[in-house]
Amino acid sequence: GFFKKNGIRYLICDIDNTLVPYSEATATPAVRGFFDRLRAEGVTIAFASNNDKERVVAFADDAGHPAEFKASKPFGRGVKKAMRRIGAQRENCAMLGDQVLTDGLAARYTGMRMILVRPIEDKDSLLFRVKRSIERRILRKERVKILVREVHHGILTGDPV
């Protein structure tokens, strides 16, 4: 599969707007299927989210994977802690997320590859429009090592990437 072909044995996942909408408390059946496919490929998962303890721990406990909350992305502290929890090395680990300014830069700071998905729900606030504009510039200059760009969540549903 995709992960084995790319030498990915460990995956650090953002939660909100990457795997599920902000309003979804637990993994959906499609996300659970994604986790099952990862497990079948021998990929170990951990979560790294900037969200609070209650939200992240509830999601992670339900999904059955370790997590770091208030991960301080884009800085690598929480992501590195999540990597240590599952024994990941940057060479065989990737970050799955929807934001270049948090998930992508955290991947860059930790030296791993990034799998960028489109946000499930793109907020229309001024702050998010400004962030997306900055992210487009970063992507054009290739300042983050993107393994897969604009996946459209096909990677979650099993569709070809």
Side-chain angles (χ1 to χ4, degrees):
F2 170 83
F3 293 92
K4 187 176 271 188
K5 183 176 84 176
N6 286 285
I8 299 169
R9 294 185 48 225
Y10 302 95
L11 188 65
I12 307 298
C13 299
D14 177 47
I15 297 171
D16 294 314
N17 231 7
T18 295
L19 294 173
V20 296
Y22 291 99
S23 59
E24 194 74 44
T26 59
T28 62
V31 172
R32 289 181 190 285
F34 174 58
F35 294 159
D36 290 344
R37 287 191 304 281
L38 287 172
R39 189 172 17 265
E41 276 196 59
V43 177
T44 303
I45 305 165
F47 304 113
S49 174
N50 285 346
N51 213 325
D52 62 44
K53 181 179 182 177
E54 182 180 355
R55 161 69 169 150
V56 175
V57 169
F59 185 90
D61 285 352
D62 178 70
H65 300 286
E68 290 298 322
F69 57 91
K70 294 194 183 280
S72 301
K73 295 179 294 181
F75 309 106
R77 182 187 58 81
V79 172
K80 286 179 182 177
K81 285 172 79 174
M83 290 172 69
R84 281 193 298 274
R85 290 182 77 167
I86 59 175
Q89 301 297 314
R90 66 181 180 204
E91 297 82 18
N92 58 9
C93 189
M95 177 82 203
L96 177 73
D98 68 302
Q99 293 187 56
V100 173
L101 290 178
T102 54
D103 308 312
L105 291 178
R108 181 179 183 197
Y109 291 148
T110 55
M112 72 172 98
R113 294 168 287 176
M114 168 74 182
I115 299 171
L116 180 65
V117 298
R118 282 203 177 163
I120 294 170
E121 299 174 337
D122 214 359
K123 292 183 179 178
D124 196 32
S125 70
L126 177 61
L127 173 64
F128 268 78
R129 287 196 308 266
V130 169
K131 283 173 65 173
R132 296 299 181 203
S133 173
I134 294 167
E135 288 178 345
R136 283 190 294 276
R137 281 188 234 134
I138 291 170
L139 289 172
R140 274 196 304 270
K141 293 183 180 197
E142 297 185 9
R143 304 221 181 219
V144 175
K145 189 188 299 182
I146 304 291
L147 180 62
V148 178
R149 189 186 295 194
E150 302 292 331
V151 176
H152 306 282
H153 288 84
I155 202 165
L156 301 182
T157 62
D159 296 336
V161 174

